[in-house]
Amino acid sequence: MTQMNTILVVNAGSSSLKFQVFGIGTKNNLNRLIKGQMDGIGTRPRLRASGADGVVAIDKTFLPEQVCDLATAIQETAGWLRGTQNFELIGVGHRVVHGGPEYSSPVLIDSEMVTRLERYTPLAPLHQPNNLAPIRELLARRPELPQVACFDTAFHRGHSAVADHFAIPERFYAEGIRRYGFHGLSYEYIAQRLREVAPAVADKRIIVAHLGSGSSMCALSNGRSIDSTMGFTALDGLPMGTRPGQLDPGVVLYLLTEKSMDPAAVQKLFYQECGLKGLSGRSNDMRDLQSSTEPRDIFAVDYFIYRASLCAGMLAAALGGLDAFVFTAGIGENSPIIRARIAEKLAWMGAALDPALNTAGEFKISRPDSPVALYVVPTDEELMIAQHTLALLAKHTGQHVRKTA
């Protein structure tokens, strides 16, 4: 039997390795074959994966020393894929959080490219090193296998100069200190998906709220990003699981000078100890906090809702009005409580939630007479990466990349 040509999509984090395998059809259409992840790396490693039909393909736990770091997680996962799956891998697509000022579209990767992308590690210390680790591993083991970097910053690169600049001397902008925006792969997918499922509003003024452990919002006009709550790094904007969101830069100066904290300690504080975790004093998980009666937990949720409503007002101003609001990502897709509370804050703009539709998790959750339509649209960054990878491979080969029947 002829092997099916496939694309592997990799999204590597500090304690998890997410992956998906997509088969390539006769017209270069993509079909999800496998979805899985290795999580608990170094603590409680567990490899799980299921097929397109939802049937579990593997659910295996390891001792901490067996999968102690991302490199061994990559090796274990790759070994399982090679040993059990009958497909021909023709390319690998990677989520890379920061593309800096250089990269506004997906690119084929080589060793020199990895070195250039390492320069942006200080701008995304939680993400960039882990995004690049599997790329290095594959370059060493499979140098002939094409790899494609898809950047979370790329979708926002069309912002106007006014939206991109900070009010600092121009020389810093020229060096790359500017507002990049993140979660671009998610927003790009949502913009694409809306053209399919809600064409009447897809080209109008839309705010997309990507609410999860990392959270941001994006203003879309005619399907393009015109502004975002995140900026130079993924710390800005909305409060997140462990990141503070919008912060007076004077706080940083105060911590450095008056509290005598060194830069490494400040970085750890802002990336790992703030946000919902810092406010509640215990948890970065919205599921725990929204069901709690502890005063600090309640305050953390209230703060999240308040800041989300402020950011929505800011983006509505950038758009000159609002026609639709979309919830996506872990919290946005799965928490009717948070959706309802944010929608209540949007009532002044004309948003009118239908509680029953919201509780049921329907696609459209606003009332029929609501001037601002409210939607829940599950994101699919991995499919977006697979599409970009396939398109770039096809462009470089000059033909359909699928060679099998």
Side-chain angles (χ1 to χ4, degrees), residues 7 20 57 78 104 129 143 154-155 206 240 294 302 331 342 363 393:
I7 287 173
Q20 295 193 31
S104 58
F155 186 62
I206 301 170
M240 295 164 249
E294 291 294 322
D302 288 346
I331 297 171
I342 291 176
F363 163 64
L393 292 179

Side-chain angles (χ1 to χ4, degrees), residues 7-23:
I7 287 173
L8 172 65
V9 172
V10 177
N11 186 350
S14 58
S15 61
S16 67
L17 176 70
K18 298 178 182 178
F19 61 93
Q20 295 193 31
V21 178
F22 292 85

Side-chain angles (χ1 to χ4, degrees), residues 43 121 141 145 210 231 250 293-294 303 326 331:
T43 55
T121 294
R141 292 175 174 269
L145 184 64
H210 179 106
T293 58
E294 291 294 322
Y303 184 89
V326 177
I331 297 171

